[in-house]
Amino acid sequence: MVSAEASPFASTGGLGDVLQGLPKALAKQGHAVGVALPLYPRVRQFNPQVVQHEMRFASANRLFRADVAHIERHGVQYFFLDVPALFDRPGIYGEGDADYGDNTLRYAAFCRGALGIAHSLFNPDVVHCHDWPTGILPVILNEHFRRQPALMGLKTVFTIHNLAYQGPVSQANAAALGVNGTFRQAHASMMRGALDTADRLTTVSPAYAREICKPGHGCGLDALLARRRGDLTGILNGIDTELWDPQKDPHLPGHFSVANLRGKQECKAALLKEFGLRPERMTRPLIGVVARLAAQKGLDLLSQNPRQFLDLDASLVLMGDGNPHEEDFFRWLAAAHPDRVGVKIGFNAGVSHRVLAGADVFLMPSRYEPCGLTQLYAMRYGTLPLVHSTGGLKDTVNGANGFSFEVHSWRSLHQCLREMTGAWGTDLWETKQQNAMTADYSWDAAAKAYSKLYDQALQVRI
Ligand code: GLC
């Protein structure tokens, strides 16, 4: 696998989580799995050992000499490409709100290096690339390396985790990278390169696979995806049930299971306190949010009618950052109603576990959601998801285990929130909670589906 992120080494969200769970599950099923990642400064704390000095490769008319460092973890071989000029920076994709201006060149060089690793250190049958930073790999492979015996039969699988981030490639960069064969069209991007050239395409839920073939969620690539529909599979992500275990999670003040939920009440009481809300709020439903404050997540709906929201007499704890306007709105809401709204701007793993465990309801009004993992974490912790029915949310949340609404508007969300407050304290709530907690979202099923897909890819004729 080739990716810009993998937890615990470097991650900004769901992609990193997937690159932690999936390789491990595949290794458990008997595959030899390697993961190539850039060596970001934060990786050094894991103490990777150099296994190859000065691997040479060229990209965009520059010659690189990169050390390759290695760690084995849970039966997975992680290889880190050390190119200080490109990756020795504080951020992954950028700093603050600003992306690094040379991201195309950074990740194109990384993909070259990853092919070098495949060639000299790992020799895979299939290269599985994830999201736009690695979209150019199948293009480079096709245009430059198909005649090398070691790479000739190599098959490529590309997974779309989020179609909205495409990694645009300018004509000048395409020429410098020597990939202008594929990138002749206007609106060229790393993502498009992979959609054109990878042997097999996947995305992270069946519903999102259908949605992106249509204009609404296709981000300009729907026609291309519709053409490749036969090669595109939606495979629902799993979750790491060891890291997200309500009986053992070290971040939690109390532990619980479906058979004994008392610890969940302890978690709720501690969470109210952590966010500065009064203990009396124990008797009202507590809504939790952990999300990037980006348009995708749809939390701006709450700012359309804060009065009506507060009239529901639910409490809200939110952790997230991103869009400065949304940050300001939630800061304001918490300052104006400190008795029932608590907000933390930023991200902290411990807090995220405590919100997911201590809340009664987990709110995810996403405009679109390729899979979504937090609703799955919430369910495992007996926290009922309340979601906009789209993409992976549609595939995982229903009336039996949570609440959902169809139209992305404050009106529909408000109606759904009322349905939720109406169900609060009833038997129906308990039934939903039991269904949510006993559903199986472990990685095993997904790993089997990917395994089958790799077999199919290997049968593609060269
Ligand atoms: C992206 C998507 C999210 C998905 C994750 C992992 O972050 O936005 O829906 O769960 O990738 O595939």
Side-chain angles (χ1 to χ4, degrees):
M1 300 207 187
V2 184
S3 172
E5 301 182 27
S7 283
F9 306 110
S11 168
T12 67
L15 174 64
D17 287 6
V18 170
L19 265 291
Q20 179 170 37
L22 178 59
K24 184 169 144 186
L26 284 163
K28 221 158 111 199
Q29 292 181 4
H31 288 277
V33 190
V35 179
L37 289 159
L39 203 155
Y40 305 106
R42 61 191 80 190
V43 173
R44 296 208 191 272
Q45 61 182 298
F46 295 90
N47 201 17
Q49 299 299 309
V50 175
V51 285
Q52 186 171 346
H53 288 281
E54 303 209 340
M55 188 178 82
R56 286 162 179 242
F57 59 93
S59 180
N61 307 317
R62 278 171 76 179
L63 183 68
F64 293 94
R65 289 190 180 83
D67 287 353
V68 180
H70 171 263
I71 292 176
E72 181 178 334
R73 210 181 151 99
H74 302 302
V76 178
Q77 313 300 318
Y78 291 90
F79 296 97
F80 301 94
L81 190 75
D82 190 6
V83 189
L86 300 180
F87 294 107
D88 195 1
R89 303 180 188 184
I92 295 181
Y93 306 111
E95 286 162 48
D97 247 0
D99 280 351
Y100 295 126
D102 57 349
N103 273 348
T104 311
L105 298 174
R106 292 170 77 219
Y107 287 106
F110 165 60
C111 287
R112 288 255 178 175
L115 282 169
I117 293 169
H119 182 252
S120 59
L121 289 165
F122 195 70
N123 296 313
D125 300 316
V126 176
V127 177
H128 184 168
C129 300
H130 297 266
D131 259 358
W132 72 264
T134 61
I136 206 163
L137 186 146
V139 180
I140 296 173
L141 180 64
N142 279 356
E143 293 205 18
H144 297 277
F145 294 103
R146 276 307 185 193
R147 286 197 202 88
Q148 290 208 8
L151 297 176
M152 215 151 36
L154 194 59
K155 297 300 174 200
T156 52
V157 174
F158 180 78
T159 296
I160 302 163
H161 293 264
N162 192 337
L163 193 60
Y165 300 91
Q166 300 181 355
V169 180
S170 65
Q171 291 297 302
N173 277 346
L177 292 166
V179 290
N180 30 2
T182 305
F183 287 144
R184 269 180 309 244
Q185 69 286 75
H187 311 301
S189 67
M190 311 268 266
M191 176 70 82
R192 180 189 272 255
L195 302 188
D196 265 329
T197 54
D199 293 310
R200 282 281 187 280
L201 305 175
T202 79
T203 188
V204 287
S205 71
Y208 192 61
R210 291 190 299 275
E211 289 166 3
I212 55 179
C213 292
K214 298 188 201 126
H217 290 307
C219 303
L221 295 170
D222 39 286
L224 166 54
L225 283 161
R227 238 186 353 264
R228 293 213 61 192
R229 189 65 181 100
D231 299 322
L232 169 66
T233 319
I235 301 176
L236 197 69
N237 285 331
I239 60 171
D240 191 320
T241 48
E242 283 165 29
L243 279 176
W244 294 94
D245 181 352
Q247 303 197 56
K248 297 212 185 88
D249 190 332
H251 297 295
L252 305 185
H255 292 113
F256 55 95
S257 67
V258 67
N260 182 351
L261 283 162
R262 229 174 311 131
K264 186 166 170 68
Q265 290 305 304
E266 282 171 46
C267 290
K268 179 172 176 179
L271 184 64
L272 288 172
K273 195 161 170 214
E274 185 167 2
F275 276 77
L277 306 192
R278 286 213 217 96
E280 297 86 79
R281 300 304 294 173
M282 277 305 280
T283 56
R284 294 299 302 160
L286 173 59
I287 302 172
V289 174
V290 177
R292 280 177 291 114
L293 300 178
Q296 174 190 352
K297 301 296 174 183
L299 289 156
D300 50 293
L301 286 186
L302 289 183
S303 64
Q304 289 184 15
N305 202 331
R307 187 71 272 149
Q308 263 185 333
F309 176 71
L310 293 162
D311 282 347
L312 294 161
D313 196 20
S315 320
L316 174 70
V317 293
L318 173 143
M319 177 174 66
D321 57 9
N323 182 317
H325 295 296
E326 281 189 49
E327 290 184 0
D328 284 348
F329 166 73
F330 285 112
R331 270 195 207 100
W332 166 81
L333 194 67
H337 305 279
D339 55 320
R340 67 179 73 168
V341 179
V343 165
K344 291 187 194 290
I345 301 299
F347 181 80
N348 173 289
V351 178
S352 84
H353 282 242
R354 288 192 287 280
V355 171
L356 281 151
D360 299 301
V361 178
F362 190 74
L363 175 64
M364 248 176 126
S366 307
R367 286 200 162 70
Y368 71 93
E369 197 60 75
C371 176
L373 296 168
T374 34
Q375 84 277 19
L376 305 178
Y377 302 145
M379 284 196 250
R380 193 154 155 76
Y381 284 12
T383 303
L384 299 185
L386 191 157
V387 307
H388 175 222
S389 189
T390 180
L393 299 175
K394 191 181 201 137
D395 285 332
T396 54
V397 180
N398 52 54
N401 59 18
F403 305 90
S404 62
F405 60 99
E406 292 291 327
V407 182
H408 198 263
S409 67
W410 165 248
R411 229 178 105 110
S412 314
L413 168 57
H414 182 232
Q415 215 170 358
C416 191
L417 285 164
R418 286 182 49 178
E419 183 193 331
M420 179 278 288
T421 50
W424 171 247
T426 66
D427 290 352
L428 177 65
W429 193 285
E430 264 174 46
T431 310
K432 286 185 194 249
Q433 216 173 18
Q434 273 169 8
N435 290 339
M437 290 186 84
T438 48
D440 179 8
Y441 288 116
S442 64
W443 271 108
D444 300 340
K448 278 196 193 107
Y450 279 107
S451 189
K452 200 167 132 201
L453 188 100
Y454 300 146
D455 284 340
Q456 288 168 357
L458 287 166
Q459 279 150 26
V460 177
R461 286 202 319 157
I462 304 166

